[in-house]
């Protein structure tokens, strides 16, 4: 499975993006608790409200994912960009209600990202390799969770929850932009390779004025 993935650059880009988004961009159980007890001064009741809003957002995201006929790369990258940008914006929230409004689209887009990522990973891999590719994806997700929780917690403790959200949002936005650039480059390279194979199999016609070479 790893040997197969080594030759699938597009899947590797998606795995790298998923790792960044899951590690620094999706640990809202950590950041919601830190914001509730820190800048928002909302306590346990505020954390409960934020958890409820986040749950509602995931339901909305599930309905949006089910409504779409196709979960393309554009949907995945668009949701990643919205989530990352809203995470950055949420760090500036002065009160509990505004923070709750900010995390609602984050939760919805998180479900879109997970659903689109799973769809693309399965459809863009060879049929006999899908199980191994999904196992690799699960490994990446587990590693991101194991690293991201302590990392985001340390950032919230050292620089404050609000600034930690802003820094994490910037990192996620940059990772999304890098993934877009890499996927465009991969697509252009594949099209060039396909054209080269086509012209090799079907050489272009000679013009009427061009002399025909004589075999001797």
């Amino acid at each position: 499975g790893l040997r197969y993935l080594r030759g699938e650059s597009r899947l590797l880009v998606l795995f790298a993006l998923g790792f960044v988004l899951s590690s620094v961009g999706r640990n809202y159980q950590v950041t919601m608790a830190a914001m509730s007890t820190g800048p928002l001064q909302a306590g346990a009741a505020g954390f409960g409200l934020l958890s409820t809003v986040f749950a509602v957002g995931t339901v909305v995201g599930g309905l949006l994912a089910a409504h779409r006929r196709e979960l393309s790369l554009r949907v995945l990258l668009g949701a990643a960009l919205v989530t990352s940008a809203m995470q950055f914006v949420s760090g500036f929230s002065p009160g509990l209600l505004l923070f709750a409004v900010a995390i609602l689209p984050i939760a919805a887009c998180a479900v879109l990202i997970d659903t689109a990522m799973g769809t693309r990973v399965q459809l863009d891999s060879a049929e006999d390799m899908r199980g191994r590719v999904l196992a690799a994806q699960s490994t990446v997700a587990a590693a991101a969770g194991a690293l991201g929780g302590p990392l985001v917690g340390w950032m919230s403790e050292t620089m404050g929850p609000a600034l930690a959200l802003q820094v994490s949002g910037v990192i996620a936005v940059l990772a999304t932009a890098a993934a877009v650039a890499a996927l465009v480059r991969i697509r252009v390279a594949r099209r060039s390779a396909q054209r080269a194979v086509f012209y090799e199999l079907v050489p272009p016609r000679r013009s009427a004025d061009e002399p025909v070479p004589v075999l001797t």
Side-chain angles (χ1 to χ4, degrees):
L2 295 176
R3 194 160 49 239
Y4 169 77
L5 280 173
R6 192 169 55 187
E8 295 294 324
S9 52
R10 187 158 76 165
L11 291 177
L12 292 177
V13 171
L14 293 181
F15 281 4
L17 176 61
F19 180 84
V20 175
L21 294 179
S22 296
S23 58
V24 299
R26 300 275 297 280
N27 279 283
Y28 263 80
Q29 293 302 317
V30 177
T31 52
M32 285 193 304
M35 288 291 288
S36 297
T37 58
L40 301 179
Q41 296 295 315
F47 179 74
L49 173 64
L50 294 177
S51 299
T52 302
V53 172
F54 199 88
V56 171
T58 58
V59 173
V60 173
L63 293 175
L64 290 175
H67 179 70
R68 294 195 61 88
R69 289 183 175 271
E70 182 183 2
L71 292 172
S72 62
L73 279 177
R74 289 186 178 182
V75 174
L76 169 60
L77 297 172
L81 187 59
V82 170
T83 302
S84 305
M86 289 304 299
Q87 180 173 352
F88 174 76
V89 171
S90 68
F92 294 97
S93 300
L96 180 66
L97 292 180
L98 287 178
F99 188 74
V101 170
I103 66 173
L104 183 65
I106 290 174
C109 288
V111 175
L112 272 177
I113 292 171
D114 288 341
T115 309
M117 184 76 72
T119 301
R120 297 296 5 133
V121 165
Q122 293 186 67
L123 295 181
D124 296 344
S125 58
E127 185 176 353
D128 58 337
M129 286 290 173
R130 285 177 186 167
R132 302 179 191 186
V133 172
L134 287 174
Q137 183 190 14
S138 300
T139 303
V140 171
L147 173 67
L151 176 60
V152 174
W154 173 79
M155 291 171 61
S156 299
E157 185 177 1
T158 55
M159 62 180 64
L163 185 56
L165 279 171
Q166 296 164 17
V167 172
S168 299
V170 170
I171 294 174
V173 168
L174 293 176
T176 304
V180 170
L183 290 171
V184 169
R185 189 164 56 247
I186 292 169
R187 185 177 181 180
V188 170
R190 285 187 175 181
R191 284 187 175 181
S192 299
Q194 290 173 353
R195 288 197 192 98
V197 171
F198 175 78
Y199 285 124
E200 184 178 350
L201 296 176
V202 184
R205 291 184 178 182
R206 297 178 178 274
S207 63
D209 298 332
E210 185 178 355
V212 179
V214 179
L215 299 178
T216 57

